[in-house]
Amino acid sequence: MSTESDAADRSARHAAGVDQTKDARHAARMARKKALIDAAIAAASDERGLLLVITGNGKGKSTSAFGMVARALGHGMKVGVVQFIKSRTDTGEEAFFGRQPGVEWHVTGDGFTWDTQNREQDIATAERGWAIAARMLADPSYQLVVLDELTYLLSYGYLDSDRVLDALAHRPAMQHVVVTGRAAPHTLTELADTVSVIADEKHAFRAGVKAQPGIDL
Ligand code: ATP
Ligand code: MG
C-alpha cells in the first residue's frame, strides 16, 4: 500500500522526468535554431556600404542614428552628421559628439517648418544643408554619414527627390548612410538596405512632460 511519501517521491520523479524531457526538447530546438542562424550568418558574406532608413512616428529615430555614430567612432571610423531640421544647439548629442575626434557635426536647420513659417527660408536652409551632405556623399573618407531628419525636406518638397536619391545611390561603395525622419518616401525606402519603422505607442509628452535632457535632447 502506498504511503503519502511514496506518492510525493513518485510525483518528484515524474516532475524531474518532465523537466528532463523539457530540457532535452529545449536543447534540440536551440541546436536546430543555432544551425539555421549559423547557416544564415555564413551565407551573409557580402560587405558593402549600407543605406539605412529609420522612420515612423515613435521616438527613437535620431537616437538610433547617434547610437551608430558611437559604434562607428568606436571602430575608429570617420563620421559626418548633418542635422537638417533641428535649430537648437544645446543638445546632449552635439555637445558630446562635437568633442570627439573623427566626427564632423553640422546643424543646418532653422527649426521646424511651423516655427519658421517661411517656405523660402526653409528651402534656402535645406539647400545649405544639402550642399554639406552632398560633399560627404561624394567623399569616400566618410565611412558613416547621418542625414538626420532628411525625410521632411523630401516630403515638403524643399529638396528635389531625384537629386537626393541619385547622390545616395552613387555614393562611395563602402560608405554607410543613415537617414532619419517621419514619413520616409517610398522611393527612399525602396533604395534602402535596412528600414526600421518605429511605432508610437505612448509618449510622455502627451502626458504633459516637457522634453527631458538626456532623453529628448
Ligand atoms: P529621438 O531624437 O528622441 O530619437 P526621434 O528622432 O524619433 O526622437 P523626432 O520626430 O525627430 O523623433 O522628434 C524629436 C523630439 O521630439 C525628441 O525630443 C523626441 O523625444 C520628441 N518626440 C519624438 N517622437 C515623439 C512623439 N511621438 N510624440 C511627442 N514627442 C516626440
Ligand atoms: Mg529625430
Side-chain angles (χ1 to χ4, degrees):
M1 205 169 107
S2 67
T3 63
E4 258 177 46
S5 86
D6 283 345
D9 270 2
R10 261 200 318 277
S11 140
R13 275 199 306 276
H14 176 71
V18 168
D19 273 357
Q20 266 178 7
T21 317
K22 264 191 185 164
D23 287 351
R25 269 204 222 117
H26 178 78
R29 205 162 51 231
M30 287 303 121
R32 280 197 301 274
K33 194 174 175 132
K34 179 168 163 44
L36 286 174
I37 292 172
D38 286 350
I41 291 172
S45 57
D46 287 6
E47 243 188 293
R48 60 187 166 83
L50 298 174
L51 174 60
L52 295 90
V53 174
I54 318 286
T55 190
N57 292 335
K59 171 185 159 54
K61 299 175 288 296
S62 298
T63 44
S64 164
F66 302 148
M68 286 180 261
V69 172
R71 280 190 170 165
L73 291 176
H75 288 289
M77 293 161 72
K78 178 174 166 183
V79 179
V81 177
V82 183
Q83 290 195 283
F84 283 96
I85 301 286
K86 204 155 275 170
S87 64
R88 64 191 309 162
T89 51
D90 60 348
T91 61
E93 61 265 23
E94 199 193 351
F96 177 76
F97 286 114
R99 289 198 297 263
Q100 307 301 315
V103 62
E104 190 184 316
W105 196 285
H106 298 269
V107 179
T108 63
D110 287 327
F112 286 99
T113 185
W114 53 86
D115 285 331
T116 63
Q117 299 178 13
N118 183 334
R119 191 177 151 82
E120 286 295 300
Q121 185 189 319
D122 284 350
I123 290 172
T125 307
E127 284 294 344
R128 261 202 322 279
W130 179 247
I132 300 168
R135 170 175 61 76
M136 291 173 171
L137 294 174
D139 180 348
S141 75
Y142 294 92
Q143 293 162 288
L144 170 65
V145 176
V146 172
L147 305 176
D148 189 36
E149 324 293 351
L150 176 72
T151 58
Y152 301 97
L153 281 64
L154 299 173
S155 48
Y156 284 120
Y158 292 168
L159 289 177
D160 176 59
S161 142
D162 287 345
R163 194 161 50 125
V164 170
L165 293 172
D166 192 66
L168 287 170
H170 295 104
R171 72 189 190 280
M174 292 308 292
Q175 184 181 76
H176 301 302
V177 177
V178 183
V179 174
T180 80
R182 295 178 192 205
H186 181 64
T187 46
L188 180 64
T189 55
E190 214 169 39
L191 184 65
D193 301 284
T194 296
V195 178
S196 293
V197 184
I198 300 185
D200 176 26
E201 192 165 314
K202 236 186 193 186
H203 196 290
F205 179 72
R206 289 198 294 278
V209 183
K210 70 183 211 184
Q212 296 294 298
I215 299 296
D216 298 301
L217 73 151

